[in-house]
Amino acid sequence: MTTALTPRTDVAGMYRPSGQLDISTALAAYSGPWDERMAAHLLRRAGFGSTPDEAKRYGSMGVHAAVDALINFPSTAGLPAPDNLYDPRATLMQYFQSGVRPGMVDDTTKRKIGQEVRQNERQSVIALQRWWLNRMLATPAPLQEKMALYFHGHFTSAAIQKGVTPVMTYNQNQLFRDNALGNLRELTWQVSIDPAMMIYLDNARSDPQHPNENYARELMELFTLGVGNYSEQDVRESARAWTGYVLRPRVGDVQFVASRHDDGSKTFLGQTGNFTGRDIVDIIYKQPAAAMFFANSLLNFFVYNGPEPELVEAVAKLIRKNDYNLKPVMSTLLRSNVFFSNRTYRALVKSPVEFVIGTYKQFDAKQVDDRAQRALFAMGQVLFYPPNVAGWPGGANWLTSQTVIARENFLASMVNSPMMDDVGWMQQVPMKASQAAHDLVQTVLHGDASPQGIAQVTDYLNGVNTSALGMLSGENYPERVRGAAYLTMAMPAYQLN
C-alpha cells in the first residue's frame, strides 16, 4: 500500500471504495511517495482543506512531520470567548430593574419579554456560528476544530431548544475543543454533566421518583455502544443512576446532590451496585462494543464509509490498547497505509461545512462573510441546529439535486465576489488556454480531473461556442479566469474529501 495514488475523477466509487484492503499492513506507517497532493489529502481530512501555500508547505515536510504538526496543537484553555454571548437573564434583569416584578407581569409583557429573549438568542447563536466558522478557517490547529466538528455531530444537542442558552452552547463547543484528542471516557462523562446536554436530553428533569430514560438511552444507543449492546432493563437502571445531578443555571454547572439520587442497588450491563452516573460511564467503556463503536465512527468520518469489519476490529484494538486516549489513535490512523491508500483518497463526500470552509481556504480568505451561513443553510448543515439527536446523516445524504444546486450557487457567488481581486494564484494563471486549464486543475484539484473535464475548461477559455471575444485575453482575463475556476470547482472531485 505504498504506491502512488491514482486520480479519482468521478464519484462512482465513493460509497464503497474499490480495491482490496490489506489488513496486515493497513495501520502500519505509510512510507510511500509524498507531495503536495498527498498533503492536501491530509489537510482535507484532518482539517478543512488548504490554501495553495499550505499544501506546498506541508508537502515539503514529509508525512510524519506533517501529521505531527497537526496532532500537536497548543492548548486553547485561554482562547477568548466570542463577544456578546447572550444570557437571557440579562433581559429579565433589565425588566426587573425597570420595575417589573415576577408574579405581576401581564400577558402582553410576558409575550414581549419572550419575543425579546428569542430574538436575542437567535442573533447570539448566529454570531457564535460565524465565530466558529472563522476559527475553522484561520485556526493554527485545524485538527482540533475538525475533532470539535466531529463531536458536535456525535454528542448532539441543539441551541435554544428546551431552554439551552447561547452561553451553554458555546461552553459545550469549547468542551469538545478542549478534549479534541483527549480521552473518550472522560469526554463522555463531561458531556453527561454538560448543562446543554442535560437540558436537551432531559437529565435535568430526572428525579428518583421519575427517572428520565432519555439520556440513559441515547448515551448507549447513539453515543457509545449502539443498538443491540444493551437491554431495556439497562436503560431503566442507568436512568436511576443518573438521578441526583442538579443543574444550577445561575452558576452554569451541575452539582451532585445525594438526597436527590436513587441510592438503591442497580444492575447494569451485568454488574450490580449502587451506581452513579460516573459509574455508568466507566462500565460502558469496559464493554468491547464501546471501542468497536468508536472505531467504526472514526473510520466513517476520517477514512471511508462502510469500513470492513477487520479494519474496525483493528482500530478498536488500537483504541483499547490506548485506553480510549484519542491522540495516539488519531496519530496512527492519520499516518497509516490505509489513510493514504487509493481506497481512501477522495472517498468521502464533503460535508457542507467542509465544502464552504474549504472554498474560503482555496481562495486564501482571511474570514468568512454572510454568504457562508446562507450557503450552509441551503446545503443542510446549520451549526448548533442538527436535525435530531442522531446528528446529520452525512455521506451520500449530503448530495441531493437541491444541495448540489446550492453548492454550485455558492461557488458562483464566490468567484464573482470582490474577494477574488485579492487571490494571488488566480492572477498568475497563464494566458494560454490549455496551460491555464492545467494550472487550475492542479491548483484546485491537484490533478484529479478527467480529460473531458480539462477539455471543458480549455474550451471555455478558448471561447468555444461563444463569440471571439470570449477567448481568454488581457481584456477579459479576470472574468474568464473566474469562470474557469468555477468550472473546475464544479467538477465531481471537488465534492469529495
Side-chain angles (χ1 to χ4, degrees):
M1 303 179 79
T2 57
T3 57
L5 298 177
T6 54
R8 183 180 291 276
T9 57
D10 58 57
V11 298
M14 65 185 176
Y15 307 131
R16 192 62 170 171
S18 59
Q20 192 71 31
L21 174 73
D22 180 359
I23 191 62
S24 67
T25 62
L27 295 183
Y30 172 77
S31 60
W34 183 256
D35 53 20
E36 289 179 27
R37 184 163 174 261
M38 304 290 271
H41 165 66
L42 173 64
L43 290 167
R44 285 193 299 271
R45 295 292 180 88
F48 299 89
S50 57
T51 67
D53 286 344
E54 284 174 333
K56 287 179 183 175
R57 181 158 56 87
Y58 277 80
S60 67
M61 287 182 179
V63 57
H64 298 297
V67 173
D68 285 345
L70 292 166
I71 288 282
N72 298 308
F73 45 75
S75 167
T76 54
L79 183 69
D83 294 333
N84 302 321
L85 278 175
Y86 174 68
D87 185 343
R89 289 175 299 177
T91 296
L92 300 179
M93 182 60 70
Q94 183 181 5
Y95 278 92
F96 183 77
Q97 290 173 343
S98 68
V100 175
R101 293 289 181 268
M104 300 174 62
V105 181
D106 56 56
D107 290 344
T108 300
T109 304
K110 283 182 181 177
R111 283 194 295 273
K112 184 179 179 183
I113 294 174
Q115 289 170 355
E116 188 173 330
V117 166
R118 286 191 292 275
Q119 181 179 4
N120 287 336
E121 284 187 322
R122 285 195 294 269
Q123 290 176 345
S124 185
V125 174
I126 289 171
L128 181 57
Q129 291 168 342
R130 178 74 71 92
W131 177 87
W132 192 14
L133 291 170
N134 276 322
R135 180 150 181 84
M136 292 177 190
L137 177 64
T139 177
L143 179 57
Q144 186 181 43
E145 296 306 320
K146 196 62 172 285
M147 293 302 301
L149 181 64
Y150 166 73
F151 287 130
H152 178 52
H154 184 89
F155 294 110
T156 305
S157 65
I160 301 177
Q161 288 188 31
K162 299 184 178 180
V164 176
T165 68
V167 174
M168 293 176 186
T169 299
Y170 166 70
N171 288 340
Q172 186 184 77
N173 182 252
Q174 185 64 10
L175 175 67
F176 295 150
R177 186 171 295 106
D178 289 343
N179 292 273
L181 291 179
N183 185 277
L184 281 168
R185 183 193 305 106
E186 179 61 24
L187 175 59
T188 303
W189 162 243
Q190 293 295 333
V191 166
S192 300
I193 57 170
D194 171 66
M197 183 62 76
M198 285 196 64
I199 293 174
Y200 182 68
L201 288 182
D202 304 318
N203 246 3
R205 297 193 292 114
S206 192
D207 61 58
Q209 288 71 43
H210 305 92
N212 193 291
E213 298 178 4
N214 201 8
Y215 184 72
R217 181 182 306 282
E218 305 303 3
L219 172 62
M220 291 186 283
E221 179 178 330
L222 296 176
F223 296 169
T224 59
L225 294 176
V227 174
N229 294 300
Y230 60 90
S231 67
E232 287 301 304
Q233 184 63 20
D234 291 323
V235 172
R236 289 189 285 272
E237 295 289 85
S238 173
R240 292 176 58 208
W242 284 110
T243 57
Y245 295 91
V246 177
L247 175 64
R248 301 190 297 174
R250 292 187 178 182
V251 182
D253 71 359
V254 173
Q255 188 177 48
F256 182 73
V257 179
S259 62
R260 297 182 61 177
H261 173 66
D262 180 343
D263 61 357
S265 180
K266 310 162 187 82
T267 298
F268 177 69
L269 292 175
Q271 297 190 40
T272 300
N274 176 17
F275 299 136
T276 63
R278 182 83 202 217
D279 297 322
I280 293 298
V281 172
D282 289 344
I283 292 170
I284 284 175
Y285 276 88
K286 290 177 182 175
Q287 312 302 308
M292 292 289 286
F293 183 86
F294 276 102
N296 186 63
S297 176
L298 289 169
L299 284 166
N300 270 281
F301 192 86
F302 286 98
V303 182
Y304 51 72
N305 297 151
E308 299 81 355
E310 56 268 39
L311 182 58
V312 175
E313 175 55 45
V315 175
K317 183 178 179 181
L318 183 66
I319 291 173
R320 291 194 294 272
K321 176 184 174 183
N322 288 284
D323 192 29
Y324 292 96
N325 288 303
L326 275 176
K327 186 172 182 177
V329 172
M330 291 303 296
S331 179
T332 298
L333 205 55
L334 292 178
R335 68 183 88 225
S336 67
N337 280 325
V338 69
F339 185 80
F340 291 106
S341 69
N342 279 320
R343 295 175 59 71
T344 300
Y345 189 78
R346 292 203 191 273
L348 291 175
V349 178
K350 287 179 181 175
S351 69
V353 169
E354 292 168 329
F355 186 85
V356 167
I357 297 300
T359 300
Y360 280 96
K361 287 190 77 71
Q362 182 66 56
F363 291 127
D364 204 13
K366 305 307 178 192
Q367 60 184 1
V368 304
D369 53 16
D370 289 342
R371 87 190 77 224
Q373 284 155 290
R374 292 198 300 270
L376 290 174
F377 177 80
M379 296 176 195
Q381 189 176 30
V382 181
L383 293 174
F384 306 121
Y385 295 101
N388 53 54
V389 68
W392 293 279
N397 297 285
W398 289 129
L399 296 179
T400 66
S401 56
Q402 185 176 0
T403 60
V404 167
I405 291 172
R407 290 181 181 221
E408 292 177 352
N409 288 341
F410 168 69
L411 292 177
S413 176
M414 286 290 286
V415 300
N416 288 307
S417 72
M419 188 184 300
M420 296 302 104
D421 295 340
D422 300 322
V423 182
W425 64 263
M426 289 185 68
Q427 297 165 8
Q428 299 171 14
V429 173
M431 193 69 76
K432 184 178 180 182
S434 59
Q435 189 60 46
H438 174 269
D439 280 18
L440 284 166
V441 166
Q442 286 299 318
T443 302
V444 176
L445 300 176
H446 297 93
D448 298 335
S450 65
Q452 294 81 4
I454 297 172
Q456 183 185 18
V457 177
T458 304
D459 287 349
Y460 170 82
L461 290 170
N462 274 327
V464 174
N465 295 327
T466 65
S467 68
L469 293 177
M471 182 180 294
L472 180 63
S473 68
E475 187 178 4
N476 64 14
Y477 182 87
E479 174 197 340
R480 301 306 281 181
V481 169
R482 290 180 184 200
Y486 167 79
L487 288 176
T488 305
M489 298 173 92
M491 290 184 193
Y494 194 72
Q495 308 296 323
L496 304 176
N497 257 347

